[in-house]
Amino acid sequence: ALQSTKTAAEIGLRINLDILNAQTQIYQTKVKLFKAIFDTIFSALSLKAAIGNLNEQDITTINQMLFE
């Protein structure tokens, strides 16, 4: 959508505001995705902790996933 908006702007069919709106939508979607990933990881760790099954390897695995 962003690329088509940029192309339309280049030929005069769209304005810069449309491009900014498309970029904003991309970043908002990325933020929602990362929040969902974080919430999933946090919930899984919380569940393991609640049942007494959380261990150091779980934390190490999550750290490796986050910092790769």
Side-chain angles (χ1 to χ4, degrees):
L2 176 59
Q3 187 57 42
S4 66
T5 301
K6 284 183 177 181
T7 302
E10 289 172 3
I11 61 173
L13 297 177
R14 297 282 183 156
I15 58 172
N16 287 339
L17 181 59
D18 293 328
I19 295 171
L20 292 174
N21 286 338
Q23 288 173 331
T24 299
Q25 190 173 25
I26 288 171
Y27 291 116
Q28 287 174 344
T29 302
K30 286 182 179 182
V31 166
K32 288 178 184 177
L33 172 63
F34 290 125
K35 183 179 179 336
I37 291 169
F38 173 81
D39 289 345
T40 301
I41 291 169
F42 185 77
S43 294
L45 292 175
S46 295
L47 179 60
K48 288 189 100 170
I51 62 173
N53 199 16
L54 183 64
N55 59 44
E56 188 175 329
Q57 182 59 40
D58 296 322
I59 304 300
T60 302
T61 302
I62 297 299
N63 280 337
Q64 288 173 347
M65 288 173 40
L66 293 174
F67 294 109
E68 285 184 353

